[in-house]
Amino acid sequence: MKILGINHDMYITSAALIIDGKIIAACPEERLTRSKMTRAFPINAVNFCLKQANIKLDQIDYIANSYNPAVHMKKFHPIFSEHRRFRGDYYYSVPDFLLNIDRKINEDSDYSSQKIRLGKKELNIYYINHHLCHAANAFNISPFKKSSILTADGAGEDDTANFLIGDKNKIKLLKKIKIPHSLGSFYSTFTEYLGYKPEHDEWKVMALSSFGSKNNRYYKIIKNMVDLKSDGSFELNQNYFKQVNQTLPNMFSENFVSLLGKPKKKNDKINKKDYEIAAAMQQVFEDTGSHMLKHLYKKTNNKNLVLSGGSFMNSVFNGKIKKLSPFSKVWLSSCPDDSGLSIGAALYLYNNILGNKKRYELKHNFFGPSYKADKIKEDLKKYKVNFAYKKNITDVVSQEIAEGKLIGWFQGKMEFGQRALGNRSILADPRKISSKVRVNQAVKYRENFRPFAPAVLDTFAHEFFDLEKNEKIPFMEKVVLTKKNKRHIIPSVVHKDF
C-alpha cells in the first residue's frame, strides 16, 4: 500500500511517501527551492518522493493531507456557499448546504475524505486533523507499544494541544485545548516582544533564556498571565495576548507593554532585561508544560511519553521532562514541527483509519535527496571549485578539524527535520573555545549567543553529559547538562547554563 503524505500551507511544507507502513522518502519543500520556512505547495517534494520510489502519482493508493477543513463546517457559511467564484466551489457549497438542514454538530471531525476521478486518473484524498497527524508522527514511529502522547503548538484547525494515548497501532484522543489558549502562541508573543520574528525565531529566545536568572523579578508577572486549571489545561489572560485577531499588528496588547515595558526593536542591542524576560518566560513555559504532563500521566498511568508539535522543538524543556514530570521514558521524532506532518498524516491514515497493524520504529531520518560522485564533480567544475579526491577521508578531515579548520560534511541522503545530524553538517573542534564564534560568524551568520550541539559516540555520551548509560539523543531533540569535569574539555559546545 502506497500513501503520499502532504503538509501544505503550514510553515516548512513537505511531502513523504510510505509503502506498507515504512517511510521510503520524505523531504521539505524549502530544501529543494531554497526558500526557508516556505508555505508553498510542496510540488517539488512530491516529485522527489515519487522519483525516489520510481513510481507515478497514478500508482499512489491514498493521499493524506495534514489539515482537516471539515472542522470548519460546524456552521453555515453563506458568504462562501451562496457566492461561488467558480463551479469547483461545489466541493464546499454542496456539503455546506446539506449539513445546514439539521446542523447540530457538537463533536469534532477526525478526518474527511474526497475522491476525484478524471478519466483514468483517481485521487483518493484524506484530510486528517492537524494534531492527530502530530500524534502519529510521534507514537507510530516510536519504540513504544503503548505510550502517553502530548501535542502542542500554535494551533491546528481550532485546537492548540491534544492529550492522547497510543496503544499498538491506534491513537485515542483524551482531551483538547482550544484556541485562544496556546502554548505555542504564548512563546511566539514573547519572541515578537523581544524583537524577533514570531513563528520563526523561537529558538533564538530559547538560547537567550539561558543568560537570565531563575525566579527573577519578571517570573511572577509572566506567570500571572497563565491560569493553570485543575483538569490539566490552562488559559492565557486575553488582556495581554491578541494573537487570535490576525488583522491587528503585534501578538501582544497594550496591557502587555504596560506590564513589561517598551518592546525591543529588531536591531536593538540585547540587554539584561531581555535576558531576564526570556528566562522568566521559558520558566513559565516549562511550568505550563509540566502541568499538562502531570495531568496526562494521571489519565494514562503510563510512564512512556511521546511528544510532537512545534512547542516541542524546545529542546531545553524536552531535556528536563523526566525531572519535571512522572514520565521515565521520553521520545520525539526528528521533526516534531509542522514539517513532520506529512509523515504523520500518512501514518495516521495507514494505522488508525485503514487499520493496518505494521509499525516501524524510526532509527534514522535520512530520507531526502542524495547525489552520486559524478554529479558532485560536475557541479564543482561548473562553479569552478577546486577539489581533490582523498582515499582516507575520515583521517584527513579529523586532522583538519584538529588543526582548527571548519568542515562542511556532505554524505548520503539528506536529513528530514530542521537539525543537521551528520549528513549535511558543519564540523569544528569543540575543544577550541573560538570554534563557536568562528562558525557563527563565518558560516552561519547568526547571533553569537546561540549554542551548538556536540556529536559524540553513544558509548561515551554518558561520560560527558547528564545521561543514563544507555540513554541516547539521536535527533538533537533534547538538551542536557555537560558534566562538570568535562566542561573545560569541550568549551565551544557548553552553553551559558552548562
Side-chain angles (χ1 to χ4, degrees), residues 115-157:
K115 182 177 285 189
I116 300 174
R117 291 180 65 101
L118 289 171
K120 293 182 179 181
K121 290 186 180 292
E122 181 174 291
L123 294 179
N124 199 353
I125 307 174
Y126 280 76
Y127 300 87
I128 302 167
N129 184 283
H130 180 92
H131 276 269
L132 293 178
C133 295
H134 272 314
N137 184 43
F139 175 68
N140 290 75
I141 48 178
S142 76
F144 307 133
K145 291 183 178 179
K146 190 171 184 178
S147 177
S148 308
I149 307 169
L150 182 65
T151 68
D153 61 8
E157 292 83 358

Side-chain angles (χ1 to χ4, degrees), residues 397-442:
V397 169
S398 297
Q399 182 61 38
E400 292 193 336
I401 290 174
E403 292 172 359
K405 293 183 179 179
L406 306 182
I407 305 295
W409 187 256
F410 184 101
Q411 66 178 359
K413 293 183 177 182
M414 186 181 67
E415 302 94 334
F416 187 88
Q418 294 192 52
R419 290 156 177 151
L421 299 171
N423 281 13
R424 303 289 186 274
S425 291
I426 300 164
L427 307 180
D429 191 344
R431 299 170 300 175
K432 293 179 169 63
I433 190 66
S434 60
S435 291
K436 175 184 168 183
V437 175
R438 290 183 64 216
V439 175
N440 270 330
Q441 292 184 349

Side-chain angles (χ1 to χ4, degrees), residues 66-69 71-72 110 128-131 155-159 179:
S66 61
Y67 194 95
N68 178 17
V71 172
H72 302 298
D110 293 344
I128 302 167
N129 184 283
H130 180 92
H131 276 269
E157 292 83 358
D158 64 354
D159 49 352
I179 294 170

Side-chain angles (χ1 to χ4, degrees), residues 110-347:
D110 293 344
Y111 68 90
S112 54
S113 62
Q114 176 188 46
K115 182 177 285 189
I116 300 174
R117 291 180 65 101
L118 289 171
K120 293 182 179 181
K121 290 186 180 292
E122 181 174 291
L123 294 179
N124 199 353
I125 307 174
Y126 280 76
Y127 300 87
I128 302 167
N129 184 283
H130 180 92
H131 276 269
L132 293 178
C133 295
H134 272 314
N137 184 43
F139 175 68
N140 290 75
I141 48 178
S142 76
F144 307 133
K145 291 183 178 179
K146 190 171 184 178
S147 177
S148 308
I149 307 169
L150 182 65
T151 68
D153 61 8
E157 292 83 358
D158 64 354
D159 49 352
T160 65
N162 278 192
F163 299 70
L164 316 97
I165 187 164
D167 188 2
K168 296 176 182 175
N169 65 322
K170 294 290 186 180
I171 291 172
K172 180 182 177 182
L173 176 66
L174 303 174
K175 179 183 178 59
K176 289 185 176 185
I177 297 176
K178 296 206 170 189
I179 294 170
H181 309 297
S182 165
L183 197 59
S185 292
F186 169 79
Y187 214 100
S188 292
T189 300
F190 281 88
T191 299
E192 183 180 42
Y193 175 79
L194 289 169
Y196 300 107
K197 189 174 181 179
E199 299 180 334
H200 283 73
D201 294 338
E202 281 71 17
W203 33 29
K204 294 183 182 181
V205 178
M206 182 179 70
L208 201 68
S209 71
S210 299
F211 292 83
S213 56
K214 191 172 183 179
N215 298 320
N216 64 53
R217 64 183 290 255
Y218 295 103
Y219 171 65
K220 283 189 177 179
I221 296 173
I222 297 172
K223 191 171 181 63
N224 286 334
M225 295 179 177
V226 185
D227 184 11
L228 304 182
K229 300 295 184 180
S230 60
D231 64 354
S233 66
F234 64 91
E235 291 184 359
L236 299 182
N237 188 327
Q238 295 303 296
N239 288 321
Y240 304 111
F241 301 91
K242 58 177 186 177
Q243 76 279 8
V244 174
N245 193 337
Q246 298 181 1
T247 62
L248 297 176
N250 301 327
M251 298 179 75
F252 50 85
S253 69
E254 292 180 3
N255 291 327
F256 187 104
V257 175
S258 295
L259 271 181
L260 296 176
K262 187 178 178 181
K264 178 177 173 291
K265 293 182 180 179
K266 183 178 180 180
N267 295 317
D268 287 351
K269 188 176 180 180
I270 299 170
N271 56 39
K272 184 178 178 181
K273 177 186 174 184
D274 300 327
Y275 293 136
E276 295 289 84
I277 288 178
M281 184 276 297
Q282 174 73 22
Q283 189 176 349
V284 174
F285 173 88
E286 292 174 5
D287 290 346
T288 309
S290 301
H291 167 74
M292 297 165 72
L293 289 170
K294 288 172 185 175
H295 175 78
L296 176 62
Y297 177 72
K298 286 181 182 178
K299 288 294 184 183
T300 65
N301 196 32
N302 185 294
K303 291 204 169 188
N304 296 331
L305 174 68
V306 298
L307 302 164
S308 194
S311 293
F312 297 112
M313 290 296 286
N314 195 305
S315 51
V316 171
F317 175 54
N318 296 342
K320 298 177 181 178
I321 284 174
K322 288 201 293 185
K323 294 178 180 178
L324 297 176
S325 76
F327 295 101
S328 59
K329 293 182 180 179
V330 181
W331 192 91
L332 296 94
S333 81
S334 68
C335 47
D337 62 297
D338 282 355
S339 69
L341 287 169
S342 55
I343 291 175
L347 291 173

Side-chain angles (χ1 to χ4, degrees), residues 1-18:
M1 182 182 291
K2 302 177 185 70
I3 300 177
L4 179 67
I6 292 174
N7 169 49
H8 94 284
D9 201 29
M10 307 283 173
Y11 288 115
I12 314 184
T13 57
S14 63
L17 176 66
I18 71 167

Side-chain angles (χ1 to χ4, degrees), residues 78 82 152 224 247 261 321 444 471 477:
E82 293 180 352
N224 286 334
T247 62
I321 284 174
K444 301 287 282 187
E471 189 176 1
E477 75 278 15

